[in-house]
Each structure stands twice: as structure tokens, then as C-alpha cells.
Amino acid sequence: EAGVTQFPSHSVIEKGQTVTLRCDPISGHDNLYWYRRVMGKEIKFLLHFVKESKQDESGMPNNRFLAERTGGTYSTLKVQPAELEDSGVYFCASSPTIGSLNTNYGYTFGSGTRLTVV
Amino acid sequence: AQSVTQLDSQVPVFEEAPVELRCNYSSSVSVYLFWYVQYPNQGLQLLLKYLSGSTLVKGINGFEAEFNKSQTSFHLRKPSVHISDTAEYFCAARWGSSYKLIFGSGTRLLVRP
């Protein structure tokens, strides 16, 4: 099966600009997650979608970040306006529903988008 | 709050030597544990996971980890490392019905010839 796809792989933007990251989960995975790793720190949870609904967005740093998941398929994470501290690697992951026959209680991660704000 | 701790930020080791990467977590109640690896310029790849049952878990590439409930540890081990094992390793956990993964800060394994 195809994995989790993220693009772009790298993005360099100026402070104040807008950037949109995209994630295509594994087909059939209801759960989609966004995580972020700021330079040298741990990977931190941003939010969780179940299909098209936001289940948990407790990790979103502020209202400059907007995540959507159109029709419960792919997801976008928009940063507007970008600030220097937004630089880091943004990971997307997906998983089937816990309790479903195919679940392994784990996640499949994408390769990440490295965002640099200058 | 739940947490995962990886005390070693970097572990240098010679090729063919054994290695242990340490991971401790905050609570053993209903915990599910994972080790992920990130090779240079790649994404996170699942190495192994503990869900229940046997406390010794074997993963890919010859790695294994042991779930120690009393010491709240889930250390990753490999008896003989290769240059190709050079990467960053992340311990992660989730608890109960929560979908949220909590990660440690990562350990860079540097294998030298």
C-alpha cells in the first residue's frame, strides 16, 4: 500500500508570508495527525482529525495555524503569517481506528516537510 | 502529565559493538510503547512496538526492546550495530484510549568504523 505522502518536502519562506503544507494519508485511514519538531526539541503533537472532524487540536500553537481535512481525505496545514519560530519539520501521520481489525495501535508517518522561515 | 524521557541525546559506538538506548515513561497503566527511527533525510519509521503480552519485543533490523513495568522503562538494544544504523531514534508512548503519541527528545546513534 502507498504510504503517507507529504509535500512539499522543503519550503523556505520569508517571515510574514503564507505557507500551506499538504498530507495525503494512507487510503482508508480515518485518523490523521500533524506533529512538529522544532530544531533540537522533541516531536510534538499538533492536532488529530477523525475523518473530516477535528478530534483534538490542543497542540496547535496559535491562531496563525489552520488545519483542514477536506472530505476526510487529504489534509492541509496553513501557516499565516509565518514567524521565525515556526521553522521546523512538520510530520503527518495516519492510522486506522483503534479496535478495527487492521489496527496496530501505531501510526504511519510521512517523510515530513522541512519549513524554514527567514 | 504523561511524558517520555530519553536521557541520552547522543550515543557514539563502534561498529559491531552492542548498544542500548534508554527510554523511560511516566506511567505503566494502559501504556503502549513504540520506537521509531529517522535516517538522514527520511521520515519516521516504526522499529518496534509493545502493546501487551511478552515483555521482550523484537523489531526490524535486529533491534529489540524490553518493557519493564516496575522501572517504567522501554530500552532499545542491539547486540551488534552497523554503520547503517546511524540515525536518530525516538521513543514514544500513548496511554489508554488516547490517540496522541508523546515522544521523547530523541537519541542520535553514531556508529563509527
Side-chain angles (χ1 to χ4, degrees):
Chain A
E1 69 184 355
V4 176
T5 305
Q6 291 187 247
F7 49 93
S9 57
H10 294 81
S11 180
V12 181
I13 61 171
E14 292 184 351
K15 177 182 172 181
Q17 289 186 321
T18 297
V19 63
T20 301
L21 315 181
R22 172 166 170 152
C23 169
D24 287 77
I26 290 174
S27 178
H29 279 191
D30 287 341
N31 297 282
L32 186 149
Y33 316 84
W34 284 97
Y35 285 80
R36 176 175 76 167
R37 189 183 193 199
V38 174
M39 178 77 76
K41 302 210 171 174
E42 67 269 28
I43 300 169
K44 284 200 168 179
F45 169 84
L46 295 179
L47 88 159
H48 168 209
F49 282 100
V50 177
K51 298 184 180 178
E52 67 277 6
S53 300
K54 292 176 186 173
Q55 182 75 13
D56 180 354
E57 52 184 327
S58 61
M60 294 288 264
N62 52 61
N63 60 10
R64 295 185 294 103
F65 289 75
L66 175 64
E68 293 179 322
R69 190 178 182 193
T70 306
T73 55
Y74 70 91
S75 174
T76 56
L77 180 64
K78 181 190 287 187
V79 185
Q80 179 182 31
E83 298 290 345
L84 298 178
E85 64 264 25
D86 301 333
S87 296
V89 180
Y90 290 76
F91 291 103
C92 176
S94 71
S95 72
T97 301
I98 290 178
S100 69
L101 290 176
N102 293 323
T103 187
N104 64 1
Y105 288 81
Y107 302 70
T108 302
F109 280 83
S111 299
T113 294
R114 182 173 295 278
L115 174 64
T116 302
V117 183
V118 298
Chain B
Q2 309 288 27
S3 63
V4 175
T5 303
Q6 292 180 252
L7 289 174
D8 305 308
S9 59
Q10 186 165 303
V11 173
V13 63
F14 287 107
E15 192 174 19
E16 297 184 6
V19 71
E20 178 180 86
L21 305 184
R22 296 181 294 168
C23 173
N24 289 87
Y25 53 91
S26 52
S27 168
S28 291
V29 177
S30 299
V31 68
Y32 306 98
L33 297 158
F34 307 84
W35 275 98
Y36 286 86
V37 59
Q38 185 179 23
Y39 297 104
N41 301 315
Q42 294 187 29
L44 294 170
Q45 180 181 358
L46 181 66
L47 266 181
L48 51 79
K49 60 183 181 287
Y50 170 78
L51 305 180
S52 64
S54 173
T55 57
L56 183 62
V57 180
K58 293 189 183 296
I60 61 172
N61 302 340
F63 284 93
E64 63 180 33
E66 185 159 15
F67 170 59
N68 189 316
K69 186 174 182 178
S70 60
Q71 296 189 4
T72 59
S73 68
F74 190 57
H75 300 332
L76 182 70
R77 301 185 183 99
K78 187 170 182 177
S80 175
V81 294
H82 304 287
I83 297 287
S84 59
D85 291 323
T86 293
E88 190 158 20
Y89 293 79
F90 295 91
C91 183
R94 45 182 291 276
W95 282 266
S97 60
S98 171
Y99 283 77
K100 187 186 298 186
L101 271 182
I102 306 297
F103 282 86
S105 53
T107 298
R108 289 188 180 277
L109 176 64
L110 178 60
V111 182
R112 298 166 173 165

